[in-house]
Amino acid sequence: MLGKRLRQLREEKKKENSKFTQGYVANLIGVARVTYTSYENGTKQPPIETVNKLADVFDVSTDYLQGRSDSRKAAIVTEKVEKDIAKRMEQIREDLTKVDGLSFQGEPLSEEAIESLMEAMEHIVRQTERINKKYIPKKYRDEKEE
């Protein structure tokens, strides 16, 4: 799916600007032309950093590139959603620090381990928020969030 979408997006851009060749895109993302060609052909998968660069070049979401979404744009996270996530994260941190003897395999969690756990939890909360938004009927969605 990634290769097909890369080719389609590049060809669309090429109609607007003839310099959008495989070599040009490869140069923009910092890889050899043959490497980019293998991405379009589906014979090689780019690392996530490269997928992020490609999404920026084509002004689409990484989910669209990878076939996880048919919407080219990433969902807009509103200020209210950000506040809700921050509130959830603060509650999770509070719950983690209140527990006496919080440990992993019998060893107490270090501050570094707690931070790592918090990062993972924030990713989970954001991912859940994004997934749940798909299932809210359109008539109940805020127009800015679409």
Side-chain angles (χ1 to χ4, degrees), residues 12-66:
E12 287 174 12
K13 287 275 192 186
K14 194 172 183 178
K15 288 177 185 173
E16 300 168 16
N17 183 341
S18 63
K19 67 182 178 181
F20 263 84
T21 63
Q22 288 180 334
Y24 179 76
V25 175
N27 190 45
L28 288 175
I29 63 172
V31 300
R33 186 194 58 76
V34 69
T35 302
Y36 177 77
T37 300
S38 66
Y39 297 158
E40 274 195 13
N41 291 336
T43 57
K44 187 173 184 179
Q45 289 296 312
I48 191 66
E49 301 86 31
T50 304
V51 173
N52 290 336
K53 288 178 186 178
L54 287 163
D56 290 342
V57 166
F58 294 116
D59 194 27
V60 296
S61 71
T62 56
D63 282 346
Y64 176 78
L65 277 181
Q66 296 173 326

Side-chain angles (χ1 to χ4, degrees), residues 14-136:
K14 194 172 183 178
K15 288 177 185 173
E16 300 168 16
N17 183 341
S18 63
K19 67 182 178 181
F20 263 84
T21 63
Q22 288 180 334
Y24 179 76
V25 175
N27 190 45
L28 288 175
I29 63 172
V31 300
R33 186 194 58 76
V34 69
T35 302
Y36 177 77
T37 300
S38 66
Y39 297 158
E40 274 195 13
N41 291 336
T43 57
K44 187 173 184 179
Q45 289 296 312
I48 191 66
E49 301 86 31
T50 304
V51 173
N52 290 336
K53 288 178 186 178
L54 287 163
D56 290 342
V57 166
F58 294 116
D59 194 27
V60 296
S61 71
T62 56
D63 282 346
Y64 176 78
L65 277 181
Q66 296 173 326
R68 292 187 220 153
S69 170
D70 289 332
S71 173
R72 290 186 176 201
K73 291 291 177 188
I76 297 170
V77 180
T78 64
E79 191 174 325
K80 180 188 179 308
V81 171
E82 282 295 335
K83 285 180 183 178
D84 289 346
I85 290 171
K87 188 185 264 187
R88 285 187 198 123
M89 295 312 300
E90 188 56 40
Q91 184 62 49
I92 290 169
R93 179 177 291 283
E94 194 175 302
D95 290 345
L96 284 174
T97 55
K98 277 185 184 177
V99 178
D100 288 334
L102 186 61
S103 63
F104 180 74
Q105 294 183 343
E107 295 292 321
L109 287 180
S110 67
E111 192 59 38
E112 183 180 0
I114 291 172
E115 284 306 312
S116 179
L117 183 59
M118 289 300 297
E119 286 175 17
M121 291 299 296
E122 183 172 354
H123 175 74
I124 291 166
V125 168
R126 287 181 181 283
Q127 189 75 349
T128 303
E129 184 75 35
R130 183 184 65 79
I131 291 168
N132 280 345
K133 211 169 265 314
K134 288 181 185 177
Y135 301 106
I136 298 172

